[in-house]
């Protein structure tokens, strides 16, 4: 008996479901609505079923949105209770980071300004107006181009200067009658000029985002004893940790 | 250039916190209008507040907290959408047009507390006076009893959150995903026949009806 009643209720629910979910034909729908008008319990159950449908749809739509927003949440909200304690730490670590960076920037600036009073980019104080090689005054020009972010032009000029330097050094070394001391002085001068050009080249390469080439050049300074060893080491480490 | 390195933490600190861009009034208005930006901002604000403060409001297990938050927020959202709290002349108002003096986050935590209480009662962990937090219960369960379907919807939504997972799964697949019983039977392999599934669904609906009637009785007698 109970099984029959349950079966009857189940089948009635089937019919209600078809109506609520819009699966009835026009004729079936009219017949059902007529039945509802005559049967209070049928009407009640139909209203209840429609409410269940609306509640479920509303719930799932909201849950879908919440799941989407949950994916966007970056910080771990389960540990957000500690966030109040972390804020001062963030400030302290941020200020410390700025101080560390500022230290390196000042170091670079000092290295650049040691000779000629400028060097906001850590450019070398190497310019010697009396230098008897072609293109001596062009290095200030290259530096100016880099400072004005004309990196491609600076690189082109550096290349020209390198060619000129090579040519000059060959010419000078080939000059007859030079003493060993004079040859050694020339060699040091050319080596110094090459280092200056390579240092400028590293900055120009960084400017046009050819970071790997720049880092190779900077790394080569670290391996030699020279004017740029320390500052190259600092710059290399700074860029590596970025 | 590489000269200036701005610490990422400082960038985060200076970045505008979107969840705090809206006032409670703006959130209530925005949620009523289904404003998507406001919906998300409100959710993130409530979520952050909930997880930061729930330990001070009630005790619950870590395994249940995520579900509790989602169910709480569903009720919170439903209530705001239905205008249980609304804005009139720039002022928030609640039941019977009285000024709503609490913050939305307080309202949220009140709902969470009640839900947790219901869960505790269901699990018979301890007995508490059913009139606890009656004011908050009234404010979020009150409804226009002249609107029969609205009245039922309110309690059915609440009961859906409390029903057994398997029942909720069947009801969701049938009424939300609109899957026919044959397809549900393929997915829920624990049911051996279509008739067994149909019977289970019928019983779930009966439980849902009983639950919502019980809630209405509780409301009438409180």
């Amino acid at each position: 008996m109970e099984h029959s009643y349950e079966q009857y209720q189940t089948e009635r629910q089937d019919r209600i479901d078809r109506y609520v979910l819009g699966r009835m034909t026009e004729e079936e729908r009219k017949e059902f609505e007529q039945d509802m008008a005559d049967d209070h319990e049928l009407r009640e159950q139909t209203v209840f079923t429609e409410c269940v449908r609306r509640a479920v749809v509303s719930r799932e739509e909201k849950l879908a949105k919440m799941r989407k927003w949950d994916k966007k949440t970056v910080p771990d909200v389960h540990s957000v209770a500690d966030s109040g304690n972390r804020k001062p730490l963030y400030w302290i670590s941020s200020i410390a980071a700025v101080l560390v960076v500022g230290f390196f920037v000042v170091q670079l600036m000092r290295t650049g300004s040691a000779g000629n009073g400028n060097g906001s980019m850590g450019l070398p104080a190497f310019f010697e107006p009396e230098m008897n090689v072609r293109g001596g005054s062009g290095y200030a020009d290259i530096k100016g181009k880099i400072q004005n972010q004309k990196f491609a032009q600076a690189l082109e000029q550096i290349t020209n200067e390198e060619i000129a330097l090579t040519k000059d050094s060959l010419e000078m070394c080939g000059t007859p009658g030079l003493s060993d001391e004079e040859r050694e002085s020339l060699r040091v001068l050319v080596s110094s000029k090459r280092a200056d050009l390579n240092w400028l080249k590293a900055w120009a390469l960084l400017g046009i985002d050819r970071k790997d080439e720049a880092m190779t050049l900077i790394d080569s300074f670290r391996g030699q004893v020279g004017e740029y060893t320390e500052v190259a080491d600092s710059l290399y480490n700074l860029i590596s940790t970025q | 250039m590489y000269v200036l390195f701005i610490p990422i933490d400082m960038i985060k600190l200076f970045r505008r916190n979107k969840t705090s861009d809206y006032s409670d009034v703006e959130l209530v208005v925005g949620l009523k209008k289904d404003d998507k930006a406001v919906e998300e901002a409100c959710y993130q604000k409530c979520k952050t507040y909930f997880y930061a403060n729930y330990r001070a409001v009630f005790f619950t297990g870590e395994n249940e907290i995520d579900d509790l938050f989602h169910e709480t927020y569903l009720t919170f959202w439903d209530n705001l959408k239905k205008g249980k709290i609304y804005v009139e002349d720039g002022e928030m108002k609640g039941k019977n047009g009285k000024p709503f003096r609490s913050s939305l986050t307080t309202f949220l935590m009140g709902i969470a507390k009640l839900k947790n209480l219901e869960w505790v009662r269901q699990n018979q962990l301890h007995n508490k006076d059913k009139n606890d937090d009656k004011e908050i219960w009234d404010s979020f369960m009150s409804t226009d009893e002249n609107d029969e379907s609205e009245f039922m919807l309110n309690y059915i939504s609440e009961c859906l959150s409390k029903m057994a997972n398997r029942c909720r799964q069947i009801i969701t697949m049938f009424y939300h995903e609109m899957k026919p019983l044959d397809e549900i039977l393929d997915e829920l392999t624990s049911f051996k026949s279509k008739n067994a599934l149909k019977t289970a669904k019928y019983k779930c609906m009966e439980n849902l009806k009983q639950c919502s009637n019980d809630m209405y009785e509780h409301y009438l007698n409180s």
Side-chain angles (χ1 to χ4, degrees):
Chain A
M1 199 65 178
E2 196 180 313
H3 178 72
S4 298
Y5 174 76
E6 200 174 86
Q7 199 172 1
Y8 164 74
Q9 292 291 349
T10 308
E11 283 167 10
R12 193 178 78 152
Q13 185 64 48
D14 272 351
R15 195 175 171 223
I16 292 170
D17 286 338
R18 286 183 61 237
Y19 175 77
V20 164
L21 295 174
R23 290 174 181 165
M24 282 184 168
T25 62
E26 185 62 29
E27 201 180 313
E28 284 174 325
R29 192 179 60 78
K30 282 181 182 167
E31 190 185 332
F32 184 83
E33 284 169 359
Q34 184 58 52
D35 289 344
M36 271 206 296
D38 298 333
D39 185 341
H40 174 69
E41 276 185 23
L42 179 65
R43 192 179 82 84
E44 256 192 13
Q45 185 64 19
T46 304
V47 169
F48 174 73
T49 304
E50 172 59 23
C51 286
V52 168
R53 189 195 68 78
R54 283 168 59 193
V56 165
V57 167
S58 170
R59 177 188 166 85
E60 290 303 315
E61 282 174 354
K62 288 187 174 72
L63 280 173
K65 283 183 181 176
M66 285 157 69
R67 278 190 284 269
K68 197 172 84 171
W69 295 330
D70 279 341
K71 287 179 187 171
K72 283 188 182 183
T73 306
V74 174
D76 178 10
V77 294
H78 286 265
S79 61
V80 79
D82 298 330
S83 66
N85 295 330
R86 283 192 187 157
K87 269 202 170 168
L89 274 175
Y90 281 138
W91 277 106
I92 292 166
S93 66
S94 302
I95 290 166
V98 168
L99 289 173
V100 167
V101 167
F103 170 75
F104 282 112
V105 168
V106 166
Q107 285 288 90
L108 288 169
M109 285 168 68
R110 278 189 188 155
T111 308
S113 64
N116 56 12
N118 59 27
S120 59
M121 292 165 49
L123 293 172
F126 59 84
F127 184 67
E128 294 177 33
E130 292 80 27
M131 197 187 305
N132 191 24
V133 287
R134 192 168 59 191
S137 63
Y139 291 0
D141 194 37
I142 295 171
K143 190 178 78 175
K145 284 188 167 74
I146 291 171
Q147 284 174 330
N148 290 328
Q149 300 191 13
K150 294 176 183 174
F151 302 114
Q153 290 180 27
L155 268 174
E156 193 182 328
Q157 193 166 348
I158 288 166
T159 305
N160 294 336
E161 290 293 338
E162 282 174 341
I163 294 167
L165 184 62
T166 303
K167 195 173 175 188
D168 284 337
S169 69
L170 284 172
E171 275 178 11
M172 284 190 196
C173 290
T175 305
L178 279 179
S179 68
D180 289 341
E181 272 182 23
E182 282 167 330
R183 281 188 205 281
E184 180 59 19
S185 294
L186 271 174
R187 192 194 65 76
V188 168
L189 190 63
V190 168
S191 177
S192 176
K193 292 293 285 179
R194 278 202 203 285
D196 297 340
L197 283 171
N198 278 337
W199 185 246
L200 286 169
K201 191 187 229 179
W203 281 103
L205 287 169
L206 285 173
I208 55 171
D209 249 350
R210 283 161 65 176
K211 187 180 166 185
D212 289 340
E213 291 172 66
M215 290 293 274
T216 303
L217 266 178
I218 295 166
D219 195 30
S220 69
F221 283 111
R222 296 165 76 213
Q224 306 164 13
V225 174
E227 192 177 349
Y228 301 110
T229 307
E230 274 185 39
V231 68
D233 195 45
S234 303
L235 184 60
Y236 187 90
N237 290 331
L238 204 58
I239 296 171
S240 297
T241 54
Q242 190 192 11
Chain B
M1 282 291 286
Y2 292 91
V3 178
L4 200 62
F5 296 97
I6 302 174
I8 291 171
D9 283 344
M10 287 191 80
I11 294 173
K12 277 186 185 171
L13 284 168
F14 291 145
R15 189 179 300 153
R16 204 169 174 203
N17 183 356
K18 289 186 180 174
T19 65
S20 62
D21 281 356
Y22 300 98
S23 64
D24 278 0
V25 166
E26 287 168 331
L27 289 175
V28 170
V29 171
L31 284 178
K32 192 81 173 87
K33 289 181 186 172
D34 296 334
D35 185 317
K36 288 186 177 12
V38 171
E39 281 178 354
E40 186 175 352
C42 185
Y43 177 78
Q44 299 293 4
K45 178 180 177 176
C46 289
K47 185 176 179 180
T48 304
Y49 187 89
F50 179 87
Y51 281 96
N53 294 284
Y54 77 86
R55 290 182 186 91
V57 178
F58 50 80
F59 174 77
T60 189
E62 292 293 330
N63 293 337
E64 289 81 30
I65 197 61
D66 291 338
D67 285 342
L68 181 61
F69 170 70
H70 284 132
E71 295 300 337
T72 298
Y73 194 79
L74 278 170
T75 302
F76 170 86
W77 192 351
D78 268 340
N79 278 278
L80 290 182
K81 277 210 69 173
K82 287 170 190 168
K84 297 293 170 63
I85 299 169
Y86 60 98
V87 171
E88 193 175 76
D89 299 327
E91 193 189 354
M92 292 212 298
K93 293 190 176 171
K95 189 180 174 185
N96 300 328
K98 291 179 186 170
F100 186 81
R101 302 272 180 231
S102 292
S103 65
L104 287 183
T105 45
T106 303
F107 182 58
L108 175 87
M109 297 312 282
I111 295 170
K113 202 171 154 189
L114 284 168
K115 281 198 177 284
N116 185 57
L117 209 61
E118 285 294 318
W119 180 85
V120 162
R121 283 199 202 110
Q122 280 180 345
N123 288 275
Q124 297 176 337
L125 291 181
H126 62 91
N127 206 5
K128 284 203 81 173
D129 187 346
K130 287 183 181 180
N131 288 325
D132 278 357
D133 301 300
K134 180 179 182 306
E135 200 174 26
I136 291 179
W137 177 265
D138 283 351
S139 70
F140 88 78
M141 291 309 291
S142 66
T143 186
D144 181 1
E145 291 170 17
N146 294 324
D147 185 345
E148 188 180 341
S149 62
E150 183 64 31
F151 152 70
M152 289 181 86
L153 200 59
N154 214 26
Y155 293 109
I156 290 168
S157 299
E158 192 58 30
C159 288
L160 268 174
S161 70
K162 296 196 288 190
M163 75 189 314
N165 282 340
R166 178 46 62 99
C167 268
R168 192 163 54 232
Q169 195 178 11
I170 294 169
I171 303 269
T172 301
M173 288 169 87
F174 191 81
Y175 291 109
H176 175 242
E177 295 170 33
M178 310 261 288
K179 288 183 179 173
L181 286 172
D182 290 321
E183 203 175 316
I184 297 173
L185 191 63
D186 288 338
E187 288 188 40
L188 303 180
T189 51
S190 58
F191 293 102
K192 301 302 174 195
S193 68
K194 194 171 166 180
N195 277 339
L197 175 60
K198 218 184 263 192
T199 305
K201 178 181 158 293
Y202 163 74
K203 284 181 178 172
C204 290
M205 292 288 276
E206 286 298 295
N207 289 341
L208 200 51
K209 191 193 271 185
Q210 186 63 48
C211 172
S212 49
N213 286 340
D214 286 348
M215 287 186 76
Y216 179 55
E217 290 281 334
H218 172 84
Y219 170 71
L220 284 179
N221 296 330
S222 60

